[in-house]
Amino acid sequence: MVKVKIEIDGKKLSVLERTTILKAAQDAEINIPTLCHRPDLTPEGLCRVCVVEVAGSPRLVASCHTPVTDGMVIHTRTPKVLTARKTVIELLMAGHTGPCVTDECAGDCELHHLAADLEVGPPRFQVKKRRAYPVENISPYVQRDMGRCILCRRCIRACGQLAKKNVFAMAYRGFDSKVVVDCDVPLDKEVCKDCGICIDHCPTSALTKPNLTQSKEGVC
């Protein structure tokens, strides 16, 4: 394949054509934070945490799905980039009901870790909270707490692309958006037995194993 020359944060690189900015940066040991992205899933650029600044572009671009082009000059930590990332995380925290919002000891919440890494304090924004959902513990395989869901869609893609089961889908709009099962019924699927892919890919604890829920104190 053809290689192109690019520059990331002053580092000149030669990478394969069609490589994403994120992959090129990771190969060069340049950290770009991500949330909705996982290397084993198709990138969709949903959360905008991985945005970078490209010389000549009028707007920030999502690095997870933007391919490099020859001569591209990329900046991953400009004030504009950092402000955008912090704003995204702050908005997610403002609309998120997980205990990690105030618990500094949260161990498994990726949102909490990103907020700490980006030095995001308590949310300044007054946003409409999504309506409260009861914890779904009908399934012996997966417990769902949709109040902790941040709509990253990783569970949807993991279930569809990796497990090939397509249990989840998106429904509704705006603040009512929700990851649903069938026509928005509690999760109780036998196909979830011995799977757990959705749990492994959930960045918060919206999806957990039922017998582990009580031991995950301080996790959002």
Side-chain angles (χ1 to χ4, degrees):
M1 293 181 67
V2 178
K3 284 195 171 186
V4 297
K5 296 185 182 299
I6 65 171
E7 181 180 311
I8 305 180
D9 292 346
K11 184 180 291 188
K12 298 185 184 301
L13 306 168
S14 179
V15 301
L16 291 175
E17 194 176 35
R18 292 199 292 263
T19 300
T20 63
I21 294 173
L22 177 62
K23 181 64 165 61
Q26 290 173 336
D27 290 345
E29 298 184 343
I30 296 171
N31 179 58
I32 297 176
T34 63
L35 186 59
C36 71
H37 177 75
R38 281 284 293 260
D40 54 351
L41 301 176
T42 301
E44 294 190 6
L46 295 168
C47 70
R48 315 309 286 182
V49 170
C50 72
V51 292
V52 296
E53 194 167 357
V54 175
S57 175
R59 60 182 64 86
L60 300 178
V61 301
S63 62
C64 67
H65 67 79
T66 302
V68 298
T69 57
D70 192 46
M72 182 179 276
V73 178
I74 302 152
H75 305 284
T76 71
R77 294 188 62 81
T78 63
K80 183 178 181 180
V81 167
L82 294 178
T83 297
R85 289 178 186 164
K86 288 180 179 181
T87 301
V88 168
I89 295 301
E90 194 172 348
L91 284 168
L92 286 172
M93 296 285 278
H96 179 47
T97 62
C100 73
V101 174
T102 56
D103 184 359
E104 296 181 357
C105 297
D108 296 341
C109 181
E110 293 181 33
L111 179 60
H112 182 90
H113 287 306
L114 278 173
D117 290 344
L118 291 170
E119 299 180 349
V120 175
R124 297 164 296 160
F125 307 111
Q126 297 295 320
V127 301
K128 179 182 177 181
K129 297 284 186 180
R130 298 202 310 275
R131 66 185 179 87
Y133 297 104
V135 175
E136 298 176 11
N137 53 13
I138 296 175
S139 170
Y141 315 118
V142 182
Q143 177 167 291
R144 294 208 309 163
D145 185 346
M146 299 313 296
R148 302 180 180 187
C149 176
I150 57 173
L151 304 177
C152 68
R153 295 167 172 78
R154 275 170 31 176
C155 60
I156 299 175
R157 288 179 288 153
C159 186
Q161 296 174 19
L162 303 180
K164 309 296 184 184
K165 295 173 181 177
N166 297 303
V167 170
F168 302 110
M170 283 300 302
Y172 312 115
R173 296 181 179 181
F175 285 105
D176 293 325
S177 295
K178 182 185 178 185
V179 177
V180 300
V181 176
D182 296 335
C183 294
D184 195 4
V185 298
L187 174 60
D188 187 17
K189 297 279 190 180
E190 192 62 26
V191 293
C192 297
K193 183 178 181 180
D194 300 323
C195 182
I197 283 179
C198 62
I199 297 172
D200 294 337
H201 283 73
C202 180
T204 66
S205 61
L207 300 173
T208 56
K209 293 181 179 179
N211 62 337
L212 296 182
T213 302
Q214 299 302 319
S215 65
K216 296 183 76 173
E217 295 182 1
V219 178
C220 78

